[in-house]
Amino acid sequence: MNLKDNLVESLSQAVEDVFSTMLGASIVPGEVTSENGAPDAHDGVLSFIGLAGSWAGTGCVSCSPVLACRVCSHMLMTETTAVNEEVLDAVAELTNMIIGSVKNDLERELGPLGLSIPTVVFGKNFRTKSAGHAEWIVRRFHWDSDAFEVRICLAPSEHPVPLQPHTFGPANQMGV
């Protein structure tokens, strides 16, 4: 199996697992496409997270405001009808869980990878752009009548930085 096939399989499994476990929801996978170049303008919520190591790239989840509210409502077991800070946090956490799972799968093939914290954008008619010219793998999904997509762009790093495990906390701050 090649890297693209592994990415598609890993994305599909991660989305299915996260939606089932965290949201108690069943999703239906849609089409898979590859995209190059500048993306079209977005409306809605877009959450992206960076990957780094011997390979580098970006993973993202994009959805409508309605779906973002639905994700938040299921995660927090509350009714949310408008995009607010809690909704953006819920979509960020969804992205972290999905792309984090993909990262863990890919590490078996690509070696250690780091994961940044998610960044979430909400608005109308906005564009995003990543540096580089790598291909984006796009997997669409449906949660009942709501559609969303998960994208990942990954390429060999031009300047790989070896990743080392870190210990956080007071002991590490004192050099212990």
Side-chain angles (χ1 to χ4, degrees), residues 60-131:
C60 69
V61 172
S62 61
C63 63
S64 69
V66 170
L67 184 81
C69 290
R70 190 173 177 199
V71 165
C72 182
S73 294
H74 277 76
M75 269 189 182
L76 301 180
M77 293 183 276
T78 184
E79 187 62 32
T80 307
T81 58
V83 175
N84 58 27
E85 200 166 318
E86 287 181 334
V87 171
L88 299 178
D89 286 346
V91 175
E93 186 55 32
L94 181 76
T95 305
N96 192 45
M97 288 185 284
I98 292 169
I99 303 302
S101 178
V102 172
K103 175 198 85 79
N104 291 340
D105 286 348
L106 292 175
E107 285 180 323
R108 289 185 283 244
E109 185 177 341
L110 305 178
L113 296 168
L115 198 62
S116 72
I117 59 171
T119 299
V120 184
V121 179
F122 167 58
K124 289 186 177 274
N125 198 30
F126 64 89
R127 291 185 184 274
T128 60
K129 181 178 182 327
S130 293

